[in-house]
Amino acid sequence: MAEGVATEAGVAGSAVTGPGVDLIPGARRLVHVNGRVRAGEVVVIVTDPTMGRYADAVAAAAREAEAAVTVCIIPMRDQDGQEPPPPVSRAMAEAAVIFSPVRISITHTRAMRVALEAGARVCMMTAYTDAIMASPALLETDFEAQADVCRRLGAAFTEGRHVRLTSPRGTDLRFGIEGRVANVLTNIPEPGELAPVPDIEVNVVPVTGSAEGTLTFDASVPYLGIGLLEEPIVCTVRDGGIVEMTGGAQADFLREHLESFADPHCFNVAELGVGLNPNARLTGEMLEDEGVLGTIHIGIGTSHTLGGEIIAPTHYDLLMWEPTIAVDGRVVQQDTQVLV
């Protein structure tokens, strides 16, 4: 089957079960609980040649729901944020619900933004694994119960002007958020919303150029094969961007990778995201790590797809433990506790 071609038959030859792993329960949760797929809805599943098992499982569950299912197989992307082929972008723009089991993220793309603006409900499945499909973060979380917490924290960000972020390991970052609208990712998306299942989170984009201070990441960088951090990555931030990044070999690898693009926007402080899934565990996998309650992540690079102005070749998230977040002087999050 040619890459980039849409088919209603699914991904030929891929199995939805493996040794001790049944993907169907997770796929049904994604379709019925997160995507809330209804009979007759157009469902587009974007996948790549390495992720066919997950595409097949979701396609089977969506067909059980009597949806009109199309699977699009795209070539492997070279890097996060690379656009899907034009025929796939057009299919996404016409979908009611999109699932994206891909190895390399297509979240921060124009194609995704167009689909969202057209009213798609999107369940992101970037770099899914059998462990995520069988994780309590997906199978046991009461997404409805967490939605109210998400909305309260989102309202605090949307109504706020200034943020101060601190942590016991030395983080002390300040930035403006006046005029920004928080992205509330309940994982039960409404039309025009993303759900990076099972990463329940609320995020907000700093006012461009406003971030100043120090960041100490001590949890994970679930990109580029870095995963769980062996030692902290310490970043100095001035005028909205990282100007120094130190630590061990993982810090050197990340810094050199970002420098290879020769684009200072790769170091832009693009996002503050708060993990809010009580069943998520830190594993080094992006979609579970970023939802871990008691962590926050700072996204660097592109902010445009989250509501900012910066377009960069990359967007990576770096995680830390035990955050304290104050909005306009009022503490709204402390470690695992949302205080609004």
Side-chain angles (χ1 to χ4, degrees):
M1 185 182 299
E3 293 177 336
V5 174
T7 172
E8 294 187 358
V11 184
S14 61
V16 299
T17 60
V21 178
D22 182 358
L23 303 183
I24 289 298
R28 286 175 175 153
R29 286 278 288 181
L30 284 159
V31 167
H32 295 289
V33 176
N34 303 105
R36 293 175 293 167
V37 172
R38 297 183 292 271
E41 285 194 305
V42 174
V43 171
V44 171
I45 301 168
V46 182
T47 191
D48 63 42
T50 73
M51 301 287 281
R53 295 177 64 246
Y54 308 108
D56 254 3
V58 173
R63 285 194 292 269
E64 286 179 353
E66 301 182 356
V69 180
T70 298
V71 177
C72 301
I73 308 175
I74 65 175
M76 284 291 295
R77 306 291 81 192
D78 296 322
Q79 62 195 39
D80 291 309
Q82 186 178 357
E83 295 293 326
V88 177
S89 298
R90 289 194 290 271
M92 292 167 62
E94 296 177 3
V97 187
I98 297 171
F99 297 91
S100 64
V102 290
R103 184 69 56 192
I104 306 297
S105 175
I106 60 169
T107 304
H108 299 280
T109 60
R110 291 186 299 275
M112 189 62 69
R113 176 54 55 187
V114 169
L116 290 168
E117 289 173 352
R121 309 191 303 277
V122 181
C123 291
M124 308 306 302
M125 298 175 62
T126 304
Y128 251 54
T129 64
D130 287 8
I132 293 176
M133 286 289 272
S135 169
L138 173 62
L139 297 180
E140 299 178 15
T141 297
D142 186 339
F143 293 100
E144 289 281 359
Q146 289 300 104
D148 183 59
V149 176
C150 293
R151 294 187 185 105
R152 294 201 311 269
L153 185 58
F157 285 144
T158 298
E159 295 164 6
R161 298 178 61 195
H162 303 286
V163 169
R164 183 181 182 189
L165 168 67
T166 58
S167 78
R169 299 298 293 271
T171 290
D172 193 345
L173 186 75
R174 300 171 186 264
F175 55 88
I177 54 170
E178 187 171 9
R180 296 303 200 201
V181 176
N183 298 294
V184 178
L185 307 181
T186 64
N187 279 214
I188 42 175
E190 298 294 333
E193 292 182 350
L194 281 168
V197 188
D199 162 32
I200 301 174
E201 73 168 82
V202 174
N203 66 59
V204 67
V205 177
V207 171
T208 300
S210 68
E212 299 277 346
T214 301
L215 292 163
T216 303
F217 301 103
D218 58 354
S220 75
V221 178
Y223 296 83
L224 303 170
I226 297 173
L228 303 181
L229 291 177
E230 298 167 359
E231 60 183 283
I233 297 176
V234 180
C235 300
T236 301
V237 178
R238 287 200 294 268
D239 298 325
I242 294 171
V243 297
E244 184 178 17
M245 179 182 291
T246 60
Q250 291 167 314
D252 292 341
F253 174 79
L254 177 60
R255 184 185 63 254
E256 291 166 6
H257 172 78
L258 294 169
E259 289 173 344
S260 73
F261 292 95
D263 185 339
H265 286 159
C266 291
F267 291 92
N268 173 58
V269 176
E271 170 195 5
L272 166 65
V274 182
L276 293 169
N277 188 328
N279 293 311
R281 299 293 179 266
L282 202 72
T283 64
E285 301 289 347
M286 176 187 65
L287 285 181
E288 185 151 1
D289 280 17
E290 294 182 11
V292 171
L293 191 63
T295 71
I296 64 91
H297 53 273
I298 295 292
I300 59 175
T302 289
S303 66
H304 181 257
T305 49
L306 298 173
E309 300 80 26
I310 299 300
I311 298 175
T314 57
H315 179 100
Y316 301 127
D317 297 314
L318 292 71
L319 280 76
M320 69 179 71
W321 287 109
E322 301 178 90
T324 296
I325 305 168
V327 176
D328 299 336
R330 175 193 181 194
V331 175
V332 299
Q333 168 88 9
Q334 189 164 30
D335 197 0
T336 63
Q337 300 298 312
V338 176
L339 303 175
V340 290

